[in-house]
Amino acid sequence: MGIKEKIDQLRAELHRHNYNYYVLNVPEISDREFDDMMRELQNLEQEHPEYQDDSSPTMRVGSDLNKNFIQVPHKYPMLSLGNTYSEGEVADFYERVKKALNEEFEVCAELKYDGTSISLTYENGKLLRAVTRGDGEKGDDVTDNVKTIRTIPLVLSGDYPQLFEIRGEILMPWIVFEELNREKEAREEQLFANPRNAASGTLKLQNSAIVASRKLDAYLYYLLGEELPCEGHYENLQKATQWGFKIATKYMKKCQSLQDIFDYIHYWDTERKNLPVATDGIVLKVNSLKQQKNLGFTAKSPRWAIAYKFQAERALTRLNKVTYQVGRTGAVTPVANLDPVQLSGTIVKRASLHNADIIEGLDLHVGDMVYVEKGGEIIPKITGVDTNARGMMIGEKVKFITHCPECGSKLTRYEGEAAHYCPNETACPPQIKGKIEHFISRKAMNIDGLGPETVDMFYRLGLIKDTSGLYQLTTDDIKNLDRMGEKSAENIIKGIAQSKEVPFERVLFALGIRFVGETVAKKIAKSFTDIEELENADLERLINIDEIGEKIAQSIISYFSNPLNRELIERLKVAGLQLNRKEEDLSGYTDKLNGQSIVISGVFTHHSRDEYKDLIEKNGGKNVGSISAKTSFILAGENMGPAKLEKAQKLGVQIMNEDEFLALIM
Ligand code: IVH
């Protein structure tokens, strides 16, 4: 495989895993594998700047933004940490710091808590607000929910600074997590994969009474402000305990040497299993704030800190059989069914085998004794076979299935991809459900009151067979269903009716054509007056559109070459959806920003960030995530992140304010 293909493959894989993790909350791979893949991509991109792409997964940090919360900008951006799994790289970090500082320094070693991060602002001794990490620059205001956490003080005592932030991790303790999953199991609800997902899911609940019942806890590890009491990070946190914070300073240690650091790592690698909450590594921070300042930041993380992640735990157990799951995209995942075994505090019965190559690589046979690992406490996976345990009796070799277990279609494998897919997009049940879920989602048809569970129920009961079925539903059809009632039934029907006004570009996105995301859908809507024109477009016409390459074009052609898809569109048309462009959809489109790459940063007064993104695209520009030499200019609001500012200045990229920008596109 060529370098370019490898980069494309990694990008595609990472995009998918990112979505699984952040949007669906059902990761398929461990943090470790994700990190490794990301690092491989970063290295390749660094070596081959000619393949730079502003929408590469390396360009963004995950976002946990949620539409139901008010978004608040972070005064100081919430960055992530560089991380490593090797002691060698810890030593490299230590040497780098030593060389850069060229003076004595201390390193504060502490645990890396595996929860969801939070920033708490205190003003005049009162908790003013609690904001999630979000995209690092702005997060969701979850103050009401955070107030239910008993260990977070609402008012302080002692000589606290007038204004400061304290950051930390919100966690669900193991026992609470297990209890919650037991209750969920009894109610036949989907279980939380790990305490981290449980904590972040809980924090995003709209009902803070339920949050209160979930007994979350917080571990705080970072003080920020203009007037902190001490010069050392550790000392500041110790001081904060006097203001009423619960801070686990007893798990922290100031290290004077690399050996001290390794001792700390080795001690906690086993000792952490006795803690009430999940940890996935340790964090090392240069203790002196002055030295931290001197070391500074890279674009994504501080140079004065690093995270070391613990190796996952391993167990040996028997493989009884392999079953197969079909996902929303038709991807088929092999699952190992195991003799139950204890691993990192939970009992494991199933593990992911990822794809046919992995099975082949392991030379897996039924009845084999296999090693199971739980990276980042997510879905466990098989990492090896104990071939010595096979003896005389060796079971049947595991062969990847050839046909879909849900619908019986023959599976296919796309070039350059490891997964097998069920190609029966229009009639394979999990794929149909997935398509409907995408269709109703916020950025697509945005149908209020309708979520995945409800869609699932409608589908199971045969009330809908595809997206067009939604438009046939009546209040009477659904009001007597489980957990429904007249009022919510009416709301759903109203929401469905309202979606008929959703503009052409979003309907195009909602169709769920492979590779046609929001931006591509917008470009298409701009170039075609209606869906018929698109249906009849050939390859050449399609690839002439900005940002549409052969892969996307082929996918569009293949979508419309399926008569079932054409029939579906016909039904949607009859239902009254916007399948042609309105005159007003085109108003506001210009070429004023043609060919320009624009970064948006900070907080704005005239329009929201999303609106600015829209304005950029409507005027022919491209909104990109991070600053590079190719950036045309930065549209900057209040509180632009200091790292971005520094980078912009270094690269000599122009910074434009809101008014200047609006004048430019007038
Ligand atoms: S310090 C600028 N300390 O790990 C440094 N982070 O990848 C800010 N985390 O987003 C982070 N335990 O959610 C720090 N003792 C600790 C931590 C910790 C867990 C999380 C945090 C952060 C991520 C960094």
Side-chain angles (χ1 to χ4, degrees), residues 79-81 110-113 117 133 169 221-222 283 285 302 304:
L79 301 176
S80 60
L81 293 174
E110 49 198 75
L111 291 166
K112 185 170 186 321
Y113 297 100
S117 43
R133 176 187 151 96
E169 209 77 357
Y221 46 65
Y222 192 20
V283 178
K285 298 173 184 167
W304 45 265

Side-chain angles (χ1 to χ4, degrees), residues 66-114:
N66 189 305
K67 70 164 171 172
N68 299 315
F69 291 95
I70 293 173
Q71 288 173 16
V72 183
H74 291 295
K75 185 168 172 194
Y76 313 94
M78 279 181 93
L79 301 176
S80 60
L81 293 174
N83 64 44
T84 174
Y85 291 85
S86 101
E87 292 189 8
E89 286 184 22
V90 169
D92 292 345
F93 164 76
Y94 196 82
E95 289 307 318
R96 258 199 321 275
V97 169
K98 191 168 168 179
K99 207 167 145 208
L101 289 176
N102 199 18
E103 62 185 2
E104 296 279 300
F105 65 100
E106 289 179 319
V107 169
C108 181
E110 49 198 75
L111 291 166
K112 185 170 186 321
Y113 297 100
D114 194 11

Side-chain angles (χ1 to χ4, degrees), residues 77-83 108-118 133 167-171 219-222 224 233 237 252 264 278-285 292 297 300-307 309:
M78 279 181 93
L79 301 176
S80 60
L81 293 174
N83 64 44
C108 181
E110 49 198 75
L111 291 166
K112 185 170 186 321
Y113 297 100
D114 194 11
T116 178
S117 43
I118 195 83
R133 176 187 151 96
R167 291 183 180 168
E169 209 77 357
I170 307 265
L171 297 137
Y219 284 70
L220 303 171
Y221 46 65
Y222 192 20
L224 287 123
H233 158 73
L237 286 180
M252 298 166 61
Y264 181 90
T279 53
D280 61 345
I282 63 147
V283 178
L284 301 169
K285 298 173 184 167
Q292 286 186 1
F297 294 83
K300 292 198 192 89
S301 51
R303 286 202 189 83
W304 45 265
I306 192 170
K309 293 218 192 165

Side-chain angles (χ1 to χ4, degrees), residues 218-260:
Y219 284 70
L220 303 171
Y221 46 65
Y222 192 20
L223 260 182
L224 287 123
E226 308 304 323
E227 29 187 88
L228 299 181
C230 310
E231 207 287 306
H233 158 73
Y234 180 85
E235 290 73 17
N236 273 323
L237 286 180
Q238 201 146 42
K239 187 86 192 165
T241 61
Q242 296 171 8
W243 310 331
F245 290 104
K246 184 190 101 168
I247 293 172
T249 44
K250 62 174 184 242
Y251 302 151
M252 298 166 61
K253 188 182 161 210
K254 282 207 286 178
C255 300
Q256 323 292 334
S257 68
L258 192 55
Q259 191 53 50
D260 281 358

Side-chain angles (χ1 to χ4, degrees), residues 432-593:
I432 300 174
K433 277 191 277 179
K435 274 209 153 62
I436 304 176
E437 283 169 20
H438 168 75
F439 185 83
I440 61 169
S441 65
R442 180 167 63 100
K443 290 187 166 172
M445 304 303 279
N446 191 20
I447 301 183
D448 261 350
L450 209 50
E453 293 85 23
T454 320
V455 162
D456 200 67
M457 175 166 66
F458 290 175
Y459 182 77
R460 256 188 299 118
L461 296 173
L463 289 168
I464 51 174
K465 294 198 170 57
D466 59 33
T467 49
S468 71
L470 290 169
Y471 297 92
Q472 313 287 313
L473 288 175
T474 62
T475 314
D476 284 340
D477 287 340
I478 60 173
K479 69 177 182 207
N480 294 323
L481 300 178
D482 209 20
R483 279 184 285 188
M484 190 61 77
E486 183 100 30
K487 189 90 199 102
S488 40
E490 273 169 15
N491 277 342
I492 290 176
I493 300 300
K494 206 168 99 202
I496 294 172
Q498 278 167 352
S499 76
K500 293 180 189 171
E501 299 309 316
V502 164
F504 185 39
E505 57 180 47
R506 272 172 50 201
V507 179
L508 279 174
F509 171 61
L511 291 177
I513 304 171
R514 220 164 179 249
F515 308 126
V516 178
E518 266 182 286
T519 309
V520 170
K522 276 185 197 159
K523 299 272 174 194
I524 297 175
K526 208 177 139 186
S527 310
F528 293 90
T529 44
D530 55 34
I531 196 102
E532 284 83 16
E533 203 190 341
L534 178 64
E535 283 180 23
N536 298 323
D538 60 8
L539 192 74
E540 202 173 338
R541 165 95 203 261
L542 286 164
I543 54 181
N544 266 327
I545 301 170
D546 186 28
E547 279 187 58
I548 296 188
E550 190 148 334
K551 189 172 80 173
I552 301 176
Q554 286 293 7
S555 166
I556 295 171
I557 289 173
S558 137
Y559 179 88
F560 289 112
S561 69
N562 185 339
L564 294 174
N565 285 332
R566 284 181 179 243
E567 286 164 24
L568 170 70
I569 285 170
E570 209 38 56
R571 287 195 295 278
L572 292 174
K573 208 183 291 169
V574 172
L577 268 61
Q578 304 296 320
L579 287 161
N580 53 8
R581 197 175 62 207
K582 291 264 178 59
E583 260 331 297
E584 68 252 31
D585 292 347
L586 262 192
S587 70
Y589 279 93
T590 77
D591 291 336
K592 287 184 181 150
L593 301 174

